[in-house]
Amino acid sequence: MQPSILERSQHPISRRDIDPNVLRVLYRLIAADYAGYLVGGGVRDLMMGRRPKDFDLATSAHPQQVRDLFRNSRLIGRRFRLVHVFFGQQNIEVATFRRRAEDVAEGGDPMIRHDNTFGTPEEDAFRRDFTINALFYDPRSFEVIDYVGGVPDLHARLIRTVGDPEVRMREDPVRMIRAVRFATKLDFEIEPATRAAIVRHSGDLAKASVPRLVEEIFRTLSFKGAERALFLMEELGVLE
């Protein structure tokens, strides 16, 4: 599908607001003829005029190709390799575009999935959890690229899954806690279909990875406004 493109004059992101080391990594990838984008929460926060806590990068280069470009880097991960590029105490995470797993057969467990197949920027956008976290910033053209309707949801202050919320919550129940975290952190609302899916499938949290669940709960309850998050989790039934 054709993405929605925001030209430089249509968005507030400036390179002055992006960490210089992040730009160094992006421009080296681009100079080596790979695609390189700023992605995820960093783009979301810059679009909202917020200072990102960190920046994530996505590229067409495969992990070993990224590793070969940066001597100050190392490969991490087992199932899906990522590259951390180090600048002193700072590390910048670089991931290769990847796509979602194939749909499971009817009656199969949607949590048993494999999403470690390399993909295109479009496929990578549709793999992400919420529309506001699936925006790409292109440092060559200074454009914001939106495949999934994230920009309208930013303006409407809505948390919405990329794709069918019933499927997305069942394949990774920890997303329910993430939805609460983003809603309370950003003072957004969870859109009705996403909200209904959380209520309907909250019991699936019992199947989630305990370390991931604990980490996400701590992240949700460790910032200003955590009391609202707690009440929202109770309201949605996820605390059970």
Side-chain angles (χ1 to χ4, degrees):
M1 64 178 295
Q2 290 299 314
S4 173
I5 303 291
L6 272 65
E7 305 289 343
R8 175 63 189 91
S9 61
Q10 298 174 299
H11 66 77
I13 298 178
S14 168
R15 284 177 296 171
R16 292 190 300 269
D17 300 321
I18 301 173
D19 185 291
N21 290 330
V22 170
L23 291 175
R24 287 189 185 98
V25 174
L26 284 170
Y27 287 134
R28 186 176 295 183
L29 288 166
I30 292 166
D33 290 327
Y34 299 114
Y37 297 120
L38 184 66
V39 298
V43 182
R44 177 200 70 218
D45 288 347
L46 290 171
M47 287 286 289
M48 296 178 66
R50 299 165 62 103
R51 185 178 182 84
K53 184 178 179 181
D54 50 39
F55 296 93
D56 291 327
L57 310 184
T59 181
S60 58
H62 289 192
Q64 188 58 52
Q65 292 171 325
V66 178
R67 175 73 181 89
D68 292 342
L69 279 177
F70 299 95
R71 290 187 297 175
N72 54 323
S73 69
R74 70 179 180 190
L75 290 164
I76 65 166
R78 293 181 181 178
R79 187 172 59 86
F80 188 81
R81 309 304 299 276
L82 303 170
V83 180
H84 279 181
V85 182
F86 294 92
F87 295 88
Q89 296 298 310
Q90 179 188 24
N91 76 77
I92 296 167
E93 186 170 284
V94 183
T96 304
F97 300 132
R98 69 186 196 262
R99 62 180 176 85
R100 289 183 62 198
E102 298 298 327
D103 293 336
V104 295
E106 185 174 351
D109 186 346
M111 290 183 64
I112 303 175
R113 304 179 72 89
H114 302 281
D115 62 348
N116 56 353
T117 304
F118 297 136
T120 65
E122 177 184 353
E123 290 170 329
D124 193 84
F126 277 93
R127 180 192 60 80
R128 295 176 181 270
D129 52 5
F130 303 108
T131 59
I132 61 170
N133 294 337
L135 301 174
F136 292 12
Y137 173 74
D138 186 342
R140 295 168 301 178
S141 63
F142 317 126
E143 295 172 337
V144 171
I145 305 168
D146 180 10
Y147 288 98
V148 298
V151 171
D153 283 341
L154 268 181
H155 292 158
R157 305 182 70 83
L158 289 176
I159 305 299
R160 184 193 310 272
T161 59
V162 176
D164 184 346
E166 299 283 329
V167 174
R168 303 314 302 276
M169 294 304 171
R170 291 187 64 206
E171 69 184 6
D172 185 2
V174 176
R175 289 187 178 126
M176 302 179 197
I177 307 298
R178 286 173 59 80
V180 170
R181 176 161 66 88
F182 291 129
T184 52
K185 176 182 178 181
L186 303 173
D187 195 23
F188 280 22
E189 296 295 325
I190 301 175
E191 67 88 24
T194 300
R195 185 184 181 96
I198 293 173
V199 172
R200 188 172 297 110
H201 300 293
S202 60
D204 285 350
L205 279 165
K207 306 175 186 177
S209 160
V210 172
R212 286 190 63 227
L213 190 56
V214 169
E215 178 187 11
E216 200 62 49
I217 289 173
F218 273 119
R219 294 179 72 184
T220 301
L221 298 180
S222 63
F223 61 87
K224 185 178 179 180
E227 62 202 64
R228 183 189 169 211
L230 194 64
F231 283 121
L232 184 54
M233 285 194 285
E234 172 67 22
E235 187 180 317
L236 295 173
V238 301
L239 291 183
E240 296 178 20

